[in-house]
Amino acid sequence: MRLFLPSSLSCRLLIAALALFAGVPALAQASAASAPTGQWELKVGGTFEGDKVNGIAYIEFEADGSLGGYYLSRYSSDVYQVDGSWVQVGKKFSGSVEVFLGSGETIGTFEMTGSARVGKSFSARLTDEFGSKVSLTGKPFVALGSLEGEYTGTIKQYGQTVDLYIELTPGEVDGLYEISGSFGSGSNLLSGFTVANRKGEFVAYVYNETDDIYASIWGKISGGRLKATGVSLEDGSKIQISLVSSGS
């Protein structure tokens, strides 16, 4: 059984230090209660150049006017790095955001506007000259429950169901896990990455090392059970996954 389909995109884990813009001057006196300073767990939605960009991001706004973080989207095989600058004006903030790969290749550059309530909520909109409209909404970062461990169950694609085993190992940044495992007879090896939030919701890509093919997966882990759907990034064929933690 050949799970997933080929793609020219390669797997990358972006764990390098963020190159932050520094020294943005304050343009107006603002209430500290409305500034976005701090780290945020964000839900990403909207479109980039016509394509959906649903995913999860972790972005930190520094007091010096810089920002940085990372982001993983459905239908993507890359963990993207986020960099930029911001300034507060009254109860609103604005700035610029660049999204790029670890190689330095820029994926998109956006203008940003939004508002935040310290300790409560964050909302922003990113736009560019190509008509992209990306939304960011979320809450302050909190310590995440661990999803680390082994999971076993099944995966279904093209009407065929086979056994699946994966292990989640915490990465070097918040909310990121490395994926390893196998399916079928166990001779088909898997790897990849997933980004999860406080609710156990996640987005991931899983790479079939044996056949050099991969897919995009998203779902939720709750009570030691993992339920997910996904697609082949080449033909859009559906994938269904059901797993239980070995600790359940």
Side-chain angles (χ1 to χ4, degrees), residues 125-207:
R125 189 177 188 183
L126 309 182
T127 58
D128 64 15
E129 60 182 324
F130 305 107
S132 302
K133 296 179 180 179
V134 179
S135 63
L136 303 176
T137 57
K139 297 180 179 181
F141 172 78
V142 296
L144 302 174
S146 177
L147 303 179
E148 181 180 5
E150 299 178 351
Y151 297 79
T152 58
T154 59
I155 182 169
K156 180 179 180 181
Q157 186 182 21
Y158 301 122
Q160 301 180 63
T161 301
V162 299
D163 292 337
L164 173 65
Y165 159 82
I166 67 167
E167 182 175 2
L168 300 182
T169 304
E172 297 189 25
V173 290
D174 297 318
L176 184 80
Y177 292 83
E178 297 182 39
I179 298 172
S180 59
S182 62
F183 67 91
S185 64
S187 60
N188 297 282
L189 301 181
L190 302 174
S191 62
F193 304 104
T194 184
V195 174
N197 63 21
R198 70 184 74 192
K199 296 180 181 180
E201 299 167 339
F202 66 88
V203 291
Y205 67 88
V206 181
Y207 179 66

Side-chain angles (χ1 to χ4, degrees), residues 88-99:
Q88 187 81 18
V89 181
K91 295 183 178 181
K92 301 286 185 179
F93 63 85
S94 61
S96 62
V97 174
E98 181 182 7
V99 179

Side-chain angles (χ1 to χ4, degrees), residues 19-238:
L20 301 177
F21 293 99
V24 178
L27 298 183
Q29 188 69 28
S31 168
S34 61
T37 308
Q39 187 175 12
W40 299 89
E41 173 192 296
L42 301 173
K43 178 180 180 180
V44 182
T47 60
F48 170 57
E49 297 184 7
D51 294 326
K52 292 182 179 180
V53 289
N54 296 357
I56 296 172
Y58 286 91
I59 300 178
E60 185 165 7
F61 285 67
E62 301 285 359
D64 65 1
S66 61
L67 64 88
Y70 67 97
Y71 158 65
L72 181 60
S73 171
R74 298 181 187 180
Y75 313 113
S76 169
S77 65
D78 290 283
V79 180
Y80 295 114
Q81 191 164 327
V82 178
D83 207 6
S85 60
W86 67 278
V87 64
Q88 187 81 18
V89 181
K91 295 183 178 181
K92 301 286 185 179
F93 63 85
S94 61
S96 62
V97 174
E98 181 182 7
V99 179
F100 56 96
L101 300 176
S103 63
E105 177 186 356
T106 298
I107 301 301
T109 301
F110 305 90
E111 295 300 315
M112 173 183 62
T113 58
S115 61
R117 298 177 64 192
V118 172
K120 294 184 177 181
S121 62
F122 178 101
S123 177
R125 189 177 188 183
L126 309 182
T127 58
D128 64 15
E129 60 182 324
F130 305 107
S132 302
K133 296 179 180 179
V134 179
S135 63
L136 303 176
T137 57
K139 297 180 179 181
F141 172 78
V142 296
L144 302 174
S146 177
L147 303 179
E148 181 180 5
E150 299 178 351
Y151 297 79
T152 58
T154 59
I155 182 169
K156 180 179 180 181
Q157 186 182 21
Y158 301 122
Q160 301 180 63
T161 301
V162 299
D163 292 337
L164 173 65
Y165 159 82
I166 67 167
E167 182 175 2
L168 300 182
T169 304
E172 297 189 25
V173 290
D174 297 318
L176 184 80
Y177 292 83
E178 297 182 39
I179 298 172
S180 59
S182 62
F183 67 91
S185 64
S187 60
N188 297 282
L189 301 181
L190 302 174
S191 62
F193 304 104
T194 184
V195 174
N197 63 21
R198 70 184 74 192
K199 296 180 181 180
E201 299 167 339
F202 66 88
V203 291
Y205 67 88
V206 181
Y207 179 66
N208 179 341
E209 297 181 359
T210 304
D211 295 321
D212 190 27
I213 50 184
Y214 77 99
S216 176
I217 307 293
W218 57 89
K220 185 174 183 178
I221 302 175
S222 178
R225 295 183 177 274
L226 185 156
K227 294 288 186 180
T229 58
V231 295
S232 158
L233 297 183
E234 180 151 326
D235 71 352
S237 60
K238 294 182 179 180

